[in-house]
Each structure stands twice: as C-alpha cells, then as structure tokens.
C-alpha cells in the first residue's frame, strides 16, 4: 500500500516538476540538474518516512503524499489540461478510501482492526475509482482521436469529390473545345473546297472568289496559331524574353497597327499614352496582350462607335484600359469571359477565334499581372491590363 501511494506521489510530483521546468526554460542545464536532484532527494525522504515504525509519522507522510497528488490534479484542472477533471474526482475518492484504510494503523480506539478493513487493504479496492478514472480518460482520448480521424476522412472525401468535380468539368470543357475546333476548322475548309471546285469549272470567277478565299485562309492561320499558343501556355512551355519595357509605348505601337482595321470598320480609335509606364516583361508578348484586347474591342464595337485606350499609373501598378462602346457583356457571362471559346450571348457572328482573351489573361499572369473587366449591357466594356510598375 505504501509503495502504491509513493509511486502515485512520485508520478504527480515528477509531472508537475517537468511542467515547471518546461515553463521556466529547458535551456538552463544546471537548473534542470538541481531540480532533478531535489526531486530524487524528496522521493528518498518520502519513501524513508513512509516506512517508519512510528505509526502516526508513517500515516501522516502517506496522507500528505496523497494530498500532494490531489493538489497537482487540482492545479492541472485550473490550467485547463485535457482530461484532468476526469482524474480529479476518482482520485479524491481513492484518496479517501486510502486514508480510511490507513487509520487502523494508528492503533486508535476509534479505528479497531476488523474484517472489512482487512478485506479493503488486501483487495486494494480503494484503487478501483482511480483505475476507472484512468480507463475513462484513456477511452476519451481514443474517442477524440477517432473523431479527429473521421473528420479528416470526411475532409479528404470532400476534397476528392471537389477535385473529381473539377476534373469532370475540365473534361467537359475539353470536349466542348474540341467540338468548337472541329466546327471552326470545318467551315473555312468547306468554303475553300467549294471555291476551288468553282474555279475548276469556271476559272473566270477567280477575281470574285479570291477575297473570300483569302479571308478563310487567314482565319485558319489565326486559329491554328492561337490553338498552338494556348496549348503551349497550358503546358507551361512559354519562355519570356524579359527586359525593361515601356507599356505605354507598346500600347501606342499596337494602336498604330490596328488603326487601319478600326477605320475599315468605321470605329474611332483614341489613344492616351503620355504617361511613362516602365515594366519588366517581354515586349512581343505585351504587345500581343494589348492587341488581343484592342482587336476584341473592334470586333464587338459597331460602326460609328469608339474605342479609348488609356495608359495610366495607379500607385505601383501600370494600367492599360481598353474601353469600347459595344454591346456589353451580360452579368452572368462576365465570370466566363476568359474561358476558351467564350462568345457573349449578345454577340453576332464574327471571325474571332474565341481564344484571344484566354491567351491574353494567361500571358498577363506570366508577367505577374492580370486583366480585369468592367462591363454594362448596352454601354460597352472596359478591359484593363494591370502589371507591376517598375520604380527606380
């Protein structure tokens, strides 16, 4: 019985001492050694006193050791240690039974040796409440671990389901893209094939058919180039020839190249590029981004409309906005405007490949920037390229 109480007290004292050392710092080796020596000396003294032949001293030391264990349990409860409350009540009950079993050893007239006391000591029933408390504590810990495991399994299932949904959507998008590609390839090929058959039987029709044939061949060329570039972007195979570039000058060069196309359609193209916008990037790819935005604006702006290209700085960001007076984009379509083969529901048929905005956004991401959209149906759209501005 005394050895059981001693071991219980030793465990409680050691755990509390370890906690105190952890709080005040494990880095001080001398402090740790002194406390370990003090703990060992205290255990030896406690063991020696608990084996004393003087009953009051022996019982008093054992009771003090059990009370010390209860003190550390109460301290653990106050510190909100997990499971400490489950150990305190059964520990107190077991301590009471132990004290009750020790009292006959005082040879007091109030506590005379009897069969119940003898059976209690021999069967060690006083340890049963604390043992049950330990079992409840262990079962609770395992239950918490099982709950955590089930939670992680549910989170994993949710992630797998989400990823499966994304892969399914991606597969459907690829199927839709392939159908669009086949459709866009078939139409100009049929037109060219029909024109060649007509020329075979009526060579004098060449002057009338030549512009249409050239238009279809040009569309095939642009579609092939866009598909090839989109595939390379998806496979991360685009290498940028980065250097210091002036984004406003790149925008001016693009507007000069696209002005004839805008004039041909009857659209006014205005440029504001007086603000220097030094950025770090590939000049060719930067022009390609802006050209896609300007060309897209020309396609969607009716004759008599206007396009404004504005170069400005917003804080540490270089911005090039392309605003048109076209049909605008429906709110439900704006989230998908950068998807492949996107065509607004208000759009009429034109020679756009449906890949320009996708390519432009991917190239903007490669330059650590992005393209944003503001649009209102019936009033037009504004696409803004935003890139980090170089500061000297």
């Amino acid at each position: 019985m005394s050895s059981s109480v001693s071991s219980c007290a030793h465990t409680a004292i050691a755990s509390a001492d370890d906690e105190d050392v952890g709080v005040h710092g494990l880095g001080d080796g001398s402090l740790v050694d002194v406390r370990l020596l003090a703990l060992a000396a205290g255990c030896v003294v406690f063991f020696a006193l608990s084996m004393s032949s003087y009953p009051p001293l022996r019982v008093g030391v054992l009771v003090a050791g059990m009370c010390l264990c209860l003190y550390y349990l109460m301290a653990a409860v106050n510190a909100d240690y997990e499971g400490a409350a489950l150990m305190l009540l059964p520990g107190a009950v077991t301590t009471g039974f132990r004290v009750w079993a020790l009292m006959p050893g005082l040879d007091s007239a109030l506590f005379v040796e009897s069969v119940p006391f003898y059976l209690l000591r021999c069967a060690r029933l006083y340890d049963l409440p604390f043992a049950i408390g330990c079992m409840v504590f262990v079962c609770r810990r395992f239950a918490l671990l099982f709950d955590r495991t089930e939670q992680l399994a549910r989170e994993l299932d949710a992630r797998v389901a989400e990823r499966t949904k994304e892969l399914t959507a991606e597969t459907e998008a690829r199927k839709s893209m392939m159908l669009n590609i086949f459709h866009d390839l078939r139409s100009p090929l049929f037109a060219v094939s029909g024109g060649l058959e007509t020329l075979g039987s009526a060579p004098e029709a060449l002057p009338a058919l030549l512009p249409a044939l050239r238009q279809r061949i040009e569309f095939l060329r642009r579609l092939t180039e866009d598909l090839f570039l989109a595939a390379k972007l998806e496979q991360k195979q685009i290498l940028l020839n980065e250097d210091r570039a002036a984004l406003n000058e790149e925008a001016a060069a693009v507007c000069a190249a696209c002005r004839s196309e805008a004039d041909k359609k009857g659209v006014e193209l205005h440029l504001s590029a007086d603000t220097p916008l030094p950025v770090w990037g590939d000049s060719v790819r930067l022009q390609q981004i802006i050209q896609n935005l300007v060309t897209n604006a020309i396609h969607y702006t009716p004759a008599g409309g206007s396009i404004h290209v504005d170069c400005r700085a917003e804080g540490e960001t270089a911005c090039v906005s392309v605003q048109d007076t076209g049909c605008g984009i429906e709110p439900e379509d704006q989230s998908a405007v950068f998807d492949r083969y996107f065509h607004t529901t208000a759009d009429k048929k034109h020679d756009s490949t449906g890949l320009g905005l996708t390519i432009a956004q991917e190239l903007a991401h490669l330059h650590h920037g992005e393209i944003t959209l503001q649009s209102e149906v019936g009033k037009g759209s504004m696409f803004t390229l935003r890139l980090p501005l170089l500061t000297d």
Side-chain angles (χ1 to χ4, degrees), residues 1-179:
M1 177 177 61
S2 62
S3 62
S4 173
V5 176
S6 300
S7 62
C8 180
H10 173 76
T11 303
I13 294 173
S15 62
D17 191 75
D18 290 342
E19 174 194 347
D20 190 61
V21 171
V23 171
H24 292 87
L26 290 174
D28 192 351
S30 60
L31 180 61
V32 174
D33 294 340
V34 170
R35 293 191 177 187
L36 289 177
L37 290 176
L39 177 62
C43 292
V44 171
V45 173
F46 178 83
F47 180 76
L49 293 177
S50 64
M51 299 298 292
S52 173
S53 59
Y54 183 56
L57 178 60
R58 181 178 69 251
V59 173
V61 170
L62 293 176
V63 171
M66 290 184 286
C67 291
L68 184 62
C69 292
L70 290 178
Y71 167 76
Y72 281 117
L73 282 175
M74 288 187 291
V77 172
N78 291 332
D80 294 330
Y81 283 152
E82 182 183 358
L86 296 175
M87 308 289 288
L88 180 59
L89 179 60
V93 174
T94 293
T95 300
F97 280 145
R98 284 177 172 173
V99 172
W100 185 35
L102 286 171
M103 287 305 163
L106 293 174
D107 296 329
S108 172
L110 297 176
F111 295 95
V112 180
E113 182 65 64
S114 63
V115 174
F117 284 140
Y118 178 77
L119 293 177
L120 182 65
R121 286 195 297 272
C122 292
R124 301 185 66 86
L125 297 179
Y126 45 77
D127 287 330
L128 188 60
F130 190 70
I132 295 175
C134 292
M135 293 174 61
V136 172
F137 172 73
V138 173
C139 292
R140 183 174 181 273
R141 291 297 299 270
F142 275 105
L144 291 176
L145 290 176
F146 288 146
D147 290 342
R148 179 57 179 164
T149 302
E150 291 179 357
Q151 182 181 357
L152 291 175
R154 288 192 296 269
E155 292 177 358
L156 181 59
D157 290 341
R159 291 181 181 180
V160 170
E162 182 179 358
R163 182 55 181 162
T164 302
K165 183 178 180 181
E166 292 176 356
L167 291 175
T168 302
E170 184 177 349
T171 302
E172 294 298 326
R174 287 181 179 274
K175 291 180 180 178
S176 177
M177 184 186 70
M178 294 303 297
L179 289 176

Side-chain angles (χ1 to χ4, degrees), residues 182-195 216-217 220:
F182 294 150
H183 177 270
D184 287 345
L185 288 175
R186 184 178 62 177
S187 297
L189 286 176
F190 282 170
V192 172
S193 177
R216 294 296 87 195
I217 293 297
L220 284 175

